[in-house]
Amino acid sequence: MKIQDIQAIQLLLATPKKIAIIPHRGPDGDAMGSTLALYHFLLKFNHEPIVIAPNDFPDFLAWLPGSETVKIFEKDKQNCTRILNDADLIFTLDFNALHRVGDEMEKVLASLTKTFIMIDHHQKPDDYAAYVYSDTSIGSTCEMIFNFITLLDKKEAINIEIGTCIYTGILTDSGSFKFPGTTGNTHRIVAELIDLGVPNTQIPNLLFDNSSYSRLQLLGRALQNMKILEVHKASYTTLTQEELDTFNYIKGDTEGIVNYGLSIKGIHLTAIFIENKEEKIIKISFRSQGGFDVNQFARDHFNGGGHRNAAGGKSDVSMQETIKKFESIVSQLNKIPHEN
Ligand SMILES: [Mn+2]
């Protein structure tokens, strides 16, 4: 982040402000961790922060300190619109294009003439924000929040609550420290958080060991549905709406299932296709290992995007047709996914 921008933000934060903090739609560990970390940080300096999520966050994040204060735009549009209209400052975290909050909330945000501050690690940021901290080499927005607070010269304000939120996003967005964005800096930050007293062995338990029986049954079905495209070093799996219903699907249940496709020896590209009858779409997540760019792949073929090794997309045609399209594109790839 530019030094002038830091100075300008320091000045903005020198007097108490009403501050809305917004994660992307379908908020994950990094989106909720970063927004709540910033929320707790701003509270300490007498601001009036409030996190407004476009839609609800999954249950496995409901233990995060401050999550009970989060407003859900979709559930309370009038009130949330009023809060946004009253805000002096708006932080958008873990996304960089306003459409990521969904149509209705995007309209509200686009109509505001407020100072926006973007902190995000996705590619190709839009230009709606007055101040932008964008860095695609950093593994999580939570790591950037740690850097941001440090740049503001307020590192001593990081307490266990803030640290717990930051740790959560670093852990979830790095696939438990496995993904390429995991650096020495990541581990140095984590070391500082542990020294501070952040419960680093409890957090993974809270996040990952809270499955319901039916969620594991659903995972079992997804694993059974998995197909291998051996010559292309790819795998994919599917979950139909009927299967989701059979296993009493609730939000968050399919989180992380896509990663199993990469745990097969020799597989460098994987995808999961999840049917959503209500929205009449197939939701897709892509993962890759090494040099194959799923961000570009998702942008080119499936109306999506994300990072080089983790991206999402969607399809408006049937599951069968979507799979057919995926298989056909993969079979035509002139560059077979490989390690670096
Ligand atoms: Mn993130």
Side-chain angles (χ1 to χ4, degrees):
M1 200 168 200
K2 280 183 286 186
I3 185 78
Q4 303 96 298
D5 286 0
I6 285 293
Q7 285 165 348
I9 294 169
Q10 277 170 330
L11 205 63
L12 283 170
L13 296 179
T15 51
K17 295 270 184 311
K18 289 180 179 160
I19 303 174
I21 312 170
I22 303 171
H24 54 76
R25 196 176 160 78
D28 56 8
D30 192 30
M32 293 310 294
S34 58
T35 50
L36 285 170
L38 186 63
Y39 165 81
H40 289 295
F41 172 75
L42 293 170
L43 265 188
K44 290 189 80 171
F45 293 92
N46 302 319
H47 298 290
E48 281 180 58
I50 185 149
V51 176
I52 303 180
N55 61 346
D56 213 349
F57 50 88
D59 277 350
F60 71 88
L61 297 172
W63 60 271
L64 278 171
S67 61
E68 69 285 351
T69 69
V70 174
K71 296 265 181 276
I72 310 295
F73 181 85
E74 207 175 69
K75 286 185 184 167
D76 193 1
K77 290 172 189 166
Q78 252 186 334
N79 194 26
C80 288
T81 304
R82 187 185 52 74
I83 295 168
L84 289 167
N85 275 309
D86 288 348
D88 303 310
L89 266 181
I90 297 179
F91 278 89
T92 65
L93 306 187
D94 202 35
F95 68 99
N96 62 19
L98 289 184
H99 69 84
R100 292 290 319 277
V101 300
D103 290 349
E104 237 177 308
M105 190 167 170
E106 180 187 3
K107 267 184 209 140
V108 176
L109 292 183
S111 73
L112 301 173
T113 49
K114 306 274 180 188
T115 304
F116 281 78
I117 302 174
M118 177 207 298
I119 302 177
D120 177 63
H121 65 138
H122 295 85
Q123 302 188 18
K124 302 183 181 165
D126 276 358
D127 63 356
Y128 61 83
Y131 304 103
V132 175
Y133 177 23
S134 165
D135 190 336
T136 57
S137 73
I138 298 180
S140 63
T141 300
C142 276
E143 188 172 327
M144 300 175 77
I145 290 291
F146 184 96
N147 295 342
F148 178 67
I149 293 174
T150 306
L151 287 166
L152 292 176
D153 205 18
K154 292 279 189 284
K155 200 163 106 175
E156 73 289 347
I158 298 178
N159 57 14
I160 293 186
E161 280 177 327
I162 297 171
T164 294
C165 296
I166 291 177
Y167 190 91
T168 294
I170 291 180
L171 188 71
T172 53
D173 255 28
S174 69
S176 300
F177 307 110
K178 284 188 301 192
F179 298 156
T182 311
T183 62
N185 271 336
T186 313
H187 282 283
R188 274 185 285 275
I189 290 169
V190 161
E192 287 193 47
L193 298 178
I194 294 171
D195 287 346
L196 209 67
V198 167
N200 65 300
T201 56
Q202 233 176 63
I203 292 172
N205 175 265
L206 290 164
L207 287 168
F208 306 130
D209 302 335
N210 64 355
S211 291
S212 62
Y213 177 69
S214 59
R215 196 250 163 195
L216 281 198
Q217 299 290 104
L218 180 70
L219 167 63
R221 177 59 61 90
L223 297 180
Q224 285 185 323
N225 289 348
M226 194 171 289
K227 298 273 190 303
I228 307 291
L229 308 170
E230 215 174 335
V231 279
H232 307 293
K233 300 186 172 179
S235 67
Y236 70 85
T237 191
T238 56
L239 284 171
T240 63
Q241 184 71 60
E242 202 184 324
E243 289 171 316
L244 295 173
D245 295 344
T246 303
F247 296 108
N248 306 315
Y249 166 80
I250 57 161
K251 207 171 173 59
D253 275 356
T254 56
E255 193 87 8
I257 293 182
V258 63
N259 297 312
Y260 284 89
L262 278 189
S263 69
I264 301 168
K265 191 174 180 185
I267 295 298
H268 297 308
L269 165 66
T270 194
I272 186 169
F273 299 87
I274 301 171
E275 185 179 28
N276 186 327
K277 272 254 157 78
E278 204 186 309
E279 290 182 35
K280 295 196 177 73
I281 57 165
I282 309 290
K283 256 194 83 185
I284 317 169
S285 293
F286 299 101
R287 295 289 184 276
S288 67
Q289 260 163 21
F292 188 76
D293 184 351
V294 286
N295 168 49
Q296 200 56 48
F297 185 82
R299 278 174 192 266
D300 287 348
H301 305 292
F302 291 100
N303 214 349
H307 308 280
R308 190 175 75 162
N309 295 116
K314 62 180 180 175
S315 160
D316 300 324
V317 294
S318 72
M319 181 69 92
Q320 233 179 350
E321 286 170 275
T322 305
I323 295 299
K324 222 173 116 187
K325 178 178 168 186
F326 174 74
E327 286 197 4
S328 139
I329 296 165
V330 168
S331 73
Q332 285 162 31
L333 288 173
N334 49 17
K335 186 165 169 269
I336 291 170
H338 60 81
E339 282 172 284
N340 289 310

